[in-house]
Amino acid sequence: MRKIIFLISLAVVSICSVTTLSAQGIQEKSLTLHHGSIKEIHSTLPTCITVANDGSDAIEIVFPANVEPYLEIEIDKRDDILSFDVIDESITHRELNAVLQKNPIRVRMSTAVLSDILNTSDMSITFEDGSVGEWFQVINTGTLFVNGEVLAAKKKIEYYNTGTFTSKIHSYNTTILCLTNTGFLYTNGYTTAKYVEQSSTGIENTDLKVACEKLSISTTGSGVIKYEGTVDDVEIVSTGRAKILTSKLN
Amino acid sequence: MKRLLIFAVSLIVAIAECSAQQSIDELLNREIDSGTTVFKMAVKRDPETGEIIKRVKEFTTTGNKQLAKEFVEAFESERDNVDGWEENRNGGVVQITAVWVNPKRIYTITVAGSALSVFTQTIYREEDKKSK
């Protein structure tokens, strides 16, 4: 049986969009979509996302009006995915990226069940509340900046990075924290995770305070990996040039 | 005068105990923080207080004869301070075990060519039967 996917395309929702002038004098288009439980965000374009948890189902999106014909903004209501992509083949990703670098797509949404972020371009995410799904995964091949006070996923937080990823979260509240990096990954803060696993072949800049049962670090890359706090079981395999600072553990 | 003498002797013994195996620990910490490392550490805690009862560290590396030599020298420099010493030298293989009684520490080094393994075990206090 053919699977039914409900797609709300920009063409449909642009009916209820509004054009305004930004502070930089650029004509901006804003539109509001309605979906209260986005689980995944996929983006191949520069985006600035603010994730709140205020119970609203409105997703407010603002972007330069001149890129509208090339943008594809979709909500897949079956899988709860919000995605940003290029729709028109007359413009390349590179050209559209160049335009959006200075004026990225701005998104404000509310969800407490976000479980996947896939970024292949430039993205920044601000978590106002920090409540995400039980399993929260970020896959980044572009440039990603994540910030907020708390990131709270009951079971697992996973980062897979091959690009440049800066994660400035004060507290990672979860059971398992898993960091996998082949690019550049900056992670700092505190975690409540019982199990912390870090695997790197890239450049790492880690400064984490932990209180966990098991810490496992495997690296063939470089950079500085610093952990402090209490750990019952530590396992480090480092065959690269990384400086691993664990003297403040236990 | 007698009391003063006892105090002085006690102080010297305490300082000596504190500094025992210090050179090995310093070398170990330097290497753990420096980079190319295979390092494991485990602690056993008192389930009620969270206090560490026992700590085990294992450090291994290969391809660095100079480092192996430094560790053997660090062990040998502690020989006069230990409560127990066992040494086996067989061809290119050196194995030394040093033991301190208070607190209980067992440090073992094995060097085979450029392969180095250092194993340290520190028991801060004996486990209660119920926490075993």
Side-chain angles (χ1 to χ4, degrees):
Chain A
M1 185 181 165
R2 191 181 165 191
K3 291 180 180 176
I4 303 165
I5 302 173
F6 298 95
L7 297 176
I8 300 176
S9 70
L10 180 63
V12 177
V13 294
S14 62
I15 297 163
C16 53
S17 64
V18 179
T19 306
T20 54
L21 209 62
S22 77
Q24 292 85 24
I26 295 159
Q27 274 213 329
E28 288 186 327
K29 197 128 194 173
S30 62
L31 60 94
T32 305
L33 307 179
H34 292 276
H35 192 80
S37 55
I38 290 293
K39 287 181 180 165
E40 298 184 23
I41 299 170
H42 299 178
S43 180
T44 64
L45 298 168
T47 43
C48 286
I49 301 168
T50 302
V51 180
N53 184 19
D54 52 20
S56 165
D57 70 345
I59 301 169
E60 290 157 20
I61 303 167
V62 180
F63 53 87
N66 61 342
V67 300
E68 187 186 2
Y70 314 109
L71 278 184
E72 183 180 60
I73 302 174
E74 282 184 353
I75 292 180
D76 178 339
K77 285 197 170 180
R78 191 194 62 164
D79 292 328
D80 304 312
I81 301 170
L82 171 65
S83 62
F84 302 90
D85 205 350
V86 181
I87 194 169
D88 193 328
E89 289 179 359
S90 65
I91 192 166
T92 63
H93 257 104
R94 183 177 288 185
E95 288 165 337
L96 193 55
N97 264 293
V99 175
L100 289 171
Q101 286 285 345
K102 288 180 183 173
N103 296 287
I105 302 163
R106 300 197 305 278
V107 183
R108 183 178 172 83
M109 59 189 292
S110 175
T111 175
V113 290
L114 196 60
S115 62
D116 275 88
I117 291 169
L118 175 58
N119 174 53
T120 59
S121 182
D122 288 355
M123 182 187 278
S124 83
I125 307 172
T126 301
F127 288 95
E128 284 190 351
D129 169 75
S131 299
V132 289
E134 289 194 343
W135 301 81
F136 180 66
Q137 177 178 260
V138 180
I139 300 168
N140 176 53
T141 62
T143 304
L144 177 61
F145 182 80
V146 175
N147 73 334
E149 272 297 301
V150 178
L151 196 54
K154 194 178 174 187
K155 290 182 177 164
K156 194 173 189 180
I157 295 173
E158 276 180 289
Y159 285 172
Y160 293 97
N161 177 53
T162 61
T164 302
F165 187 172
T166 304
S167 180
K168 284 192 172 176
I169 299 285
H170 188 256
S171 182
Y172 302 83
N173 297 353
T174 188
T175 307
I176 302 169
L177 178 64
C178 190
L179 311 171
T180 306
N181 174 46
T182 60
F184 174 82
L185 176 63
Y186 174 93
T187 323
N188 78 336
Y190 166 78
T191 179
T192 60
K194 283 184 178 174
Y195 305 96
V196 179
E197 202 176 307
Q198 184 164 15
S199 171
S200 175
T201 58
I203 304 167
E204 210 80 24
N205 191 334
T206 309
D207 189 350
L208 277 174
K209 291 180 180 67
V210 293
C212 65
E213 290 178 16
K214 171 124 186 166
L215 168 65
S216 178
I217 303 167
S218 170
T219 172
T220 58
S222 58
V224 179
I225 298 173
K226 184 180 169 190
Y227 280 91
E228 58 184 275
T230 57
V231 185
D232 289 352
D233 197 348
V234 180
E235 195 173 312
I236 298 167
V237 179
S238 171
T239 53
R241 293 188 296 128
K243 194 171 175 66
I244 301 173
L245 304 172
T246 54
S247 56
K248 287 189 177 172
L249 281 177
N250 294 315
Chain B
M1 184 66 186
K2 195 179 171 183
R3 277 185 188 170
L4 190 67
L5 194 65
I6 291 167
F7 175 74
V9 169
S10 305
L11 192 67
I12 290 164
V13 169
I15 291 167
E17 281 191 351
C18 286
S19 62
Q21 90 289 315
Q22 202 175 33
S23 58
I24 303 171
D25 285 342
E26 279 172 7
L27 199 54
L28 200 55
N29 290 335
R30 188 195 78 185
E31 284 311 305
I32 289 163
D33 283 351
S34 71
T36 305
T37 297
V38 177
F39 170 63
K40 290 179 185 178
M41 177 172 70
V43 295
K44 187 160 192 175
R45 295 176 193 276
D46 184 316
E48 285 170 10
T49 63
E51 179 194 1
I52 296 172
I53 300 170
K54 183 176 172 181
R55 187 199 307 270
V56 175
K57 288 182 183 180
E58 188 183 6
F59 166 79
T60 53
T61 184
T62 55
N64 193 340
K65 282 187 176 178
Q66 180 56 35
L67 182 64
K69 193 181 162 199
E70 278 185 60
F71 266 101
V72 170
E73 283 171 0
F75 266 74
E76 283 170 344
S77 71
E78 303 291 350
R79 189 164 186 168
D80 293 338
N81 303 322
V82 298
D83 298 306
W85 181 270
E86 190 179 321
E87 186 174 331
N88 292 307
R89 289 177 188 263
N90 189 358
V93 181
V94 179
Q95 187 172 52
I96 299 169
T97 300
V99 179
W100 291 264
V101 172
N102 189 24
K104 192 182 279 180
R105 291 181 170 92
I106 303 163
Y107 283 35
T108 303
I109 183 173
T110 308
V111 179
S114 65
L116 166 70
S117 166
V118 181
F119 181 84
T120 72
Q121 188 178 174
T122 307
I123 299 163
Y124 296 98
R125 68 173 168 85
E126 294 300 329
E127 294 175 58
D128 298 332
K129 278 182 184 173
K130 61 179 180 181
S131 67
K132 273 181 187 173

